Amino acid sequence: MLEISGLHKSYGSNVVLRGVDLKVNAGELVCVIGPSGSGKSTMLRCCNLLETPTGGSILANGHQVTSPTVDINRLRQDVGMVFQQFNLYPHLTALDNVALALRNVQRRSKAEAQALAQQALEQVGLGAKARAYPGELSGGQQQRVGIARAVALKPQVILFDEPTSALDPELVEDVLNVMRDLRQRGMTMLVVTHEMAFAHAAADRVVFMDGGVVVEQGTAAELFEHPREPRTQSFLARYGSQRP
């Protein structure tokens, strides 16, 4: 579903990614963990061209992402994105925030777009908040609208960039529950997260990044309970209290 090979990204002399190789299979939930500045979010943003790779290749659901002829609109329908800061339009209702891409990208009628948006909001438990504006919603509810916006386009894979890091602790679990439900439905997900307990319990595979490379990866049990690399061991030792 998603295959990253030799991915490099530099900003002038600042090298952020140094040859990342990662594959995500259909139906997998893969969590990427690692210290701040390790390149996790940059890797994610390269996968739907919010950042342009400096080198390497990315294949996403048959799209050669790094091809100069790639259809970016088509790519972003197939590769959804949920952001850390929600990125909702404050002057639009939850329903209209979700319906916007359905109308503008998929060219659906207003009635059809709103019907599909309502279904997506129901899926994340916010059907009753369809007419509310972002300012009337909690942070957790806003993030669930963001997830509904991604789900409504029926993508093949969804990228999550630290989806709970901007939330108060008591709101985190609602968002994680929506993600668990998506996993049960078979959605392919690549998740950058600091939620160690979620990664341990929910991920099919956990990837540890540091210094712009994948240091090691394995099942959650393998990586959390028997990390091989000293960098992984050191990182996990600092987050031991978060593990289940």
Side-chain angles (χ1 to χ4, degrees):
M1 188 61 70
L2 184 65
E3 186 169 0
I4 302 167
S5 303
L7 183 63
H8 286 76
K9 177 62 181 178
S10 300
Y11 301 93
S13 61
N14 180 23
V15 181
V16 179
L17 300 177
R18 304 171 184 272
V20 172
D21 297 308
L22 179 62
K23 183 182 290 187
V24 181
N25 299 311
E28 262 194 318
L29 168 55
V30 176
C31 284
V32 183
I33 64 172
S36 297
S38 60
K40 307 182 301 296
S41 293
T42 300
M43 176 195 69
L44 215 62
R45 292 170 67 85
C46 284
C47 290
N48 69 350
L49 292 181
L50 290 172
E51 298 283 357
T52 303
T54 306
S57 68
I58 303 171
L59 189 66
N61 191 38
H63 301 284
Q64 189 58 254
V65 175
T66 43
S67 168
T69 61
V70 67
D71 182 338
I72 294 179
N73 280 338
R74 180 70 254 176
L75 168 69
R76 289 177 181 166
Q77 289 180 64
D78 282 352
V79 183
M81 184 89 174
V82 175
F83 300 90
Q84 179 177 340
Q85 296 293 341
F86 321 144
N87 288 5
L88 301 179
Y89 290 101
H91 64 288
L92 298 180
T93 64
L95 185 73
D96 288 336
N97 264 283
V98 176
L100 189 63
L102 290 163
R103 297 188 67 188
N104 291 349
V105 177
Q106 294 190 345
R107 303 298 180 188
R108 296 181 183 272
S109 69
K110 180 178 181 180
E112 185 180 16
Q114 289 193 335
L116 291 170
Q118 182 69 39
Q119 290 175 16
L121 288 170
E122 297 282 356
Q123 187 174 335
V124 301
L126 288 178
K129 296 289 186 178
R131 301 296 175 183
Y133 289 89
E136 300 171 324
L137 301 173
S138 70
Q141 289 171 331
Q142 289 183 59
Q143 188 60 291
R144 285 151 64 193
V145 173
I147 295 173
R149 178 178 55 192
V151 167
L153 293 171
K154 300 193 183 308
Q156 299 301 309
V157 56
I158 300 181
L159 312 174
F160 291 82
D161 188 9
E162 307 235 23
T164 60
S165 64
L167 301 179
D168 293 332
E170 65 268 21
L171 303 176
V172 167
E173 198 61 26
D174 287 342
V175 173
L176 295 180
N177 283 336
V178 170
M179 295 169 68
R180 292 184 183 103
D181 179 65
L182 288 175
R183 180 179 184 268
Q184 292 298 317
R185 294 168 182 258
M187 177 60 70
T188 306
M189 295 185 281
L190 180 60
V191 182
V192 169
T193 185
H194 285 303
E195 296 291 336
M196 297 297 117
F198 172 75
H200 193 294
D204 296 296
R205 196 153 33 95
V206 179
V207 176
F208 175 68
M209 284 184 66
D210 193 15
V213 298
V214 173
V215 175
E216 71 174 293
Q217 60 180 296
T219 66
E222 289 169 346
L223 193 124
F224 281 103
E225 295 164 23
H226 305 288
R228 302 184 306 273
E229 300 295 329
R231 280 190 285 175
T232 316
Q233 294 166 2
S234 174
F235 175 80
L236 290 176
R238 285 177 284 161
Y239 287 91
S241 62
Q242 288 195 36
R243 290 164 56 188

